[in-house]
Amino acid sequence: MSITYSLNEIDLAVTYILKHSKSKVLLFDAPMGAGKTTLIKALVKALGCNDTVSSPTFSLVNEYITKDCKLFHFDLYRIKDTEELYDFGIEIYLEDDAYLCVEWPQLLAPILDKPYHVISINLDEKLNRVLELKNSL
């Protein structure tokens, strides 16, 4: 399943994700600059959180809470191995019934024991985003 959108239409991509996701674990697979953080910002807003959303590049994880749910936003770009994931307590986050939005999920995906979706984002020739939602279910 895929959708093509411009940055001005990012809300369409968020609606698409929320409509077609059967899991709250969302792994964002995209090259640098493709719009992973921008899409997660729009997702946090759509879920009802008005906090300022930023990339957790150095903190590794940011938490956002709405009246209906909780969302953890991870940036695992600087993580070098699976041991580092466990060192910062990834298993605690995985046990929670929160949305987990993970940028750079390559080390996390193999150890997940719950259903997840991979959201791939690529740029087309007109610099629109092509989002593909893949299920692990």
Side-chain angles (χ1 to χ4, degrees):
M1 298 188 293
S2 67
I3 183 173
T4 300
Y5 64 97
S6 69
L7 287 180
N8 293 335
E9 303 168 314
I10 200 161
D11 292 338
L12 295 174
V14 170
T15 301
Y16 178 83
I17 291 168
L18 292 173
K19 179 179 178 183
H20 295 288
S21 297
K22 295 179 179 125
S23 170
K24 291 181 180 178
V25 181
L26 306 172
L27 309 182
F28 290 79
D29 180 29
M32 189 82 67
K36 297 179 294 294
T37 300
T38 303
L39 184 56
I40 293 169
K41 285 179 183 181
L43 179 63
V44 169
K45 181 180 175 188
L47 290 171
C49 184
N50 294 320
D51 292 349
T52 300
V53 178
S54 62
S55 177
T57 301
F58 295 102
S59 62
L60 299 180
V61 62
N62 289 341
E63 179 180 0
Y64 303 99
I65 299 174
T66 73
K67 66 180 180 95
D68 297 322
C69 67
K70 189 171 13 173
L71 183 143
F72 295 108
H73 176 192
F74 297 89
D75 184 331
L76 303 180
Y77 183 76
R78 299 190 188 305
I79 298 294
K80 304 225 183 325
D81 56 43
T82 306
E83 186 175 321
E84 282 188 60
L85 288 173
Y86 288 110
D87 285 347
F88 84 80
I90 192 69
E91 65 277 8
I92 295 167
Y93 296 102
L94 294 174
E95 292 171 1
D96 202 313
D97 185 36
Y99 279 91
L100 304 177
C101 295
V102 185
E103 297 185 46
W104 308 103
Q106 291 78 1
L107 292 172
L108 179 62
I111 65 169
L112 281 173
D113 62 352
K114 61 195 304 182
Y116 62 89
H117 297 286
V118 175
I119 296 172
S120 299
I121 306 169
N122 291 293
L123 299 176
D124 69 10
E125 62 281 349
K126 296 179 182 176
L127 300 182
N128 288 315
R129 271 66 179 169
V130 179
L131 182 147
E132 186 175 358
L133 181 67
K134 302 172 194 168
N135 297 323
S136 74
L137 310 171

